[in-house]
Amino acid sequence: FQITQLLYSAMFGLFFFVVITALIMICARVVKVSRQYLVIVKDQENMPISVKDSMQQSIMERIRKNHEVTKTVLVQALVYFLAFLLTLAFPLIQLVGFHGTHWPYYLELIFTPMQGFFNFLIFLYYKVANYRRMHLGTSTKEIL
């Protein structure tokens, strides 16, 4: 029994490490893109107005939209991670200890099956937000 629990702990730890590493990589990418965006904006402000002004405006608009999408992906990744933590916190609490009480077991029975539901809500929220961004006058009720 102890070997099985040790293997379960090791696999859980490895999976948790992979998820944390991916989240750190996403955050690092967003920070890098944000810094590049700020440098481009500062360079754009220092440039004199020229004939290429409309072309530069369209390029800046595209860069701004890409920057917004990158930030949205970061927030979405963080929310997915929080849903992941919420559903797996109670099995982890059971693994660490608290063998005398049954509340972690009951909460595990409630929250673990709800992980798919949480993921669905997050997915649906961002789909609705994207649709509302494209169609500004549409309410959430009309979309759903």
Side-chain angles (χ1 to χ4, degrees):
F1 178 73
Q2 288 180 344
I3 293 174
T4 306
Q5 190 174 12
L6 182 64
L7 287 175
Y8 178 72
S9 300
M11 285 183 52
F12 188 78
L14 178 65
F15 185 64
F16 193 73
F17 173 75
V18 168
V19 169
I20 292 291
T21 304
L23 194 60
I24 289 171
M25 291 173 66
I26 291 170
C27 290
R29 179 68 181 157
V30 169
V31 168
K32 182 179 177 182
V33 169
S34 295
R35 287 182 181 165
Q36 289 173 344
Y37 176 70
L38 291 175
V39 167
I40 290 171
V41 168
K42 285 181 184 178
D43 288 345
Q44 181 73 17
E45 290 173 355
N46 295 334
M47 287 184 173
I49 298 174
S50 66
V51 178
K52 299 178 184 178
D53 192 37
S54 64
M55 189 170 87
Q56 289 174 351
Q57 283 296 95
S58 67
I59 291 171
M60 286 303 295
E61 184 65 22
R62 196 171 346 137
I63 291 171
R64 186 188 62 75
K65 284 182 181 179
N66 285 341
H67 181 59
E68 285 180 17
V69 168
T70 304
K71 288 186 347 187
T72 302
V73 168
L74 173 66
V75 171
Q76 190 173 10
L78 289 172
V79 174
Y80 274 115
F81 181 69
L82 289 176
F84 172 74
L85 282 181
L86 179 65
T87 56
L88 292 181
F90 302 109
L92 184 62
I93 289 172
Q94 281 186 323
L95 189 65
V96 172
F98 296 110
H99 296 291
T101 61
H102 295 290
W103 65 268
Y105 177 71
Y106 296 135
L107 292 174
E108 177 186 359
L109 289 176
I110 293 169
F111 283 103
T112 302
M114 290 183 70
Q115 183 173 10
F117 179 70
F118 292 148
N119 290 342
F120 171 72
L121 288 179
I122 295 165
F123 175 80
L124 186 65
Y125 172 77
Y126 281 100
K127 288 295 180 184
V128 169
N130 284 337
Y131 189 85
R132 286 187 70 188
R133 194 174 330 141
M134 296 296 182
H135 304 89
L136 297 176
T138 310
S139 70
T140 305
K141 185 178 177 182
E142 292 173 1
I143 295 171
L144 294 176

